[in-house]
Amino acid sequence: MTALHDGPAPTAADSGANATERFKADKLGGVANTPKERVDLLAREVLGAVHDTIRRHKVTYEEYNALKAWLISVGEDGEWPLFLDVWVEHVVEEVATEHREGNKGTIEGPYYVPGAPERGSHGSVPMRENEPGTPLVWTGRVTSTDGSVLDQAKVELWHADDEGLYSQFAPGIPEWNLRGTFSVDAGGEFEIRTVRPAPYRIPTDGACGKLIAAAGWHAWRPAHLHVKVSAPGHELLTAQLYFPGDEHNDDDIASAVKPELILDPKPAADGHGETVVYDFVLDPVPA
Ligand code: MBD
Ligand code: FE
């Protein structure tokens, strides 16, 4: 595999620190006003589940201290965003979107950055010269659940490179590499040129990696494209698209694969890379 970045190797602490800063910058505004009754209910139930587990399995002081040490290291490594998005977010997403009739979504994960460069309705995602990976041309259309064309829709795309690394979270990659914002044309259609991402392995040198090793789990997510699809008067769709035959589609560490999100790419007519069609259907904001 071509190593495109020279300089330091990616570390859990680097990507964790960046993900933590990203979260503070983008999302902290929305967390202040949880009502006291909700905090009381949820905190009591979660702690009750912990207490039940301790009693049922007769958790020892050694185990309690191992947990304490590990929780401290999650913070020190900046891995709270990674930990929560890998092992908790999928259920929050399930509950938040269960009313929808349009496209299935899935988790956002820790590596979204708002404001990626605009590339029109037919264009290439920002990429390096000789960006490694199979070229992929993706065409699609955005409609509402009633079938009407959403000609003001936007598709934000971000994904890992052919080494499984994300720009802005691993060192030595151009800032907006493989991150772009696309509009649609008058027919609600877009055409995006990118490359296939590699499967993603969550960092093994941080706290989440320690948990995975200690529990005998694996650290893999299947290869995936992240998207946010928006249109006026419609609910924001956050999703990921997957590739058929990936061995981790059935045991994603982040439990974020749904059958409706698996693409069906075909070899390109010119013999160079692949083409794929995938459309989106957005739900109107409830009245
Ligand atoms: C990812 O790339 C990702 O999408 C998720 C959900 C968690 C960790 C890394
Ligand atoms: Fe991802």
Side-chain angles (χ1 to χ4, degrees):
M1 199 176 292
T2 334
L4 272 182
H5 47 270
D6 21 64
T11 67
D14 285 339
S15 68
N18 292 351
T20 299
E21 287 314 308
R22 203 63 261 161
F23 175 77
K24 289 187 185 171
D26 300 341
K27 306 248 165 62
L28 224 46
V31 302
N33 294 318
T34 310
K36 195 202 310 176
E37 294 69 28
R38 260 319 253 186
V39 177
D40 173 51
L41 173 72
L42 299 179
R44 260 188 305 116
E45 278 206 20
V46 169
L47 290 169
V50 172
H51 304 156
D52 287 349
T53 303
I54 294 168
R55 289 197 184 97
R56 198 160 54 244
H57 300 288
K58 301 201 181 303
V59 169
T60 66
Y61 261 100
E62 267 136 323
E63 290 166 335
Y64 173 65
N65 284 330
L67 171 65
K68 219 174 189 176
W70 182 77
L71 288 170
I72 291 167
S73 73
V74 176
E76 288 171 345
D77 293 344
E79 286 201 335
W80 280 114
L82 181 66
F83 172 75
L84 289 166
D85 294 351
V86 166
W87 284 295
V88 180
E89 189 189 352
H90 68 98
V91 191
V92 180
E93 192 276 335
E94 174 190 315
V95 170
T97 63
E98 62 191 358
H99 63 284
R100 289 190 185 174
E101 290 169 8
N103 222 96
K104 287 281 179 210
T106 191
I107 64 174
E108 174 176 326
Y111 301 142
Y112 171 65
V113 184
E118 308 247 352
R119 289 301 167 117
S121 62
H122 290 59
S124 171
V125 82
M127 62 172 88
R128 293 163 285 195
E129 242 179 273
N130 304 315
E131 183 72 39
T134 306
L136 181 69
V137 179
W138 166 23
T139 54
R141 202 161 75 112
V142 186
T143 56
S144 185
T145 48
D146 69 1
S148 58
V149 165
L150 295 174
D151 62 3
Q152 303 298 306
K154 295 223 182 263
V155 178
E156 290 175 86
L157 171 68
W158 74 102
H159 64 87
D161 68 12
D162 191 51
E163 295 182 66
L165 300 175
Y166 284 87
S167 61
Q168 301 190 40
F169 297 90
I173 303 175
E175 186 176 23
W176 294 105
N177 207 59
L178 305 179
R179 296 176 181 275
T181 303
F182 297 83
S183 49
V184 297
D185 63 20
E189 297 188 341
F190 60 85
E191 181 187 282
I192 297 173
R193 294 169 180 274
T194 187
V195 295
R196 248 203 205 220
Y200 177 83
R201 194 178 64 158
I202 76 167
T204 50
D205 62 319
C208 292
K210 246 186 275 171
L211 170 61
I212 288 167
W217 300 342
H218 74 75
W220 290 95
R221 297 214 60 224
H224 55 280
L225 302 170
H226 290 270
V227 288
K228 281 185 182 282
V229 186
S230 57
H234 287 74
E235 292 191 29
L236 172 67
L237 172 68
T238 301
Q240 300 179 30
L241 301 173
Y242 303 94
F243 296 87
D246 192 307
E247 62 172 310
H248 295 293
N249 282 344
D250 295 324
D251 68 345
D252 177 12
I253 184 81
S255 310
V257 181
K258 302 178 187 183
E260 299 87 346
L261 299 174
I262 299 179
L263 296 168
D264 184 20
K266 311 271 192 227
D270 65 2
H272 195 57
E274 299 174 317
T275 62
V276 71
V277 178
Y278 191 91
D279 300 328
F280 295 108
V281 180
L282 301 188
D283 281 71
V285 173

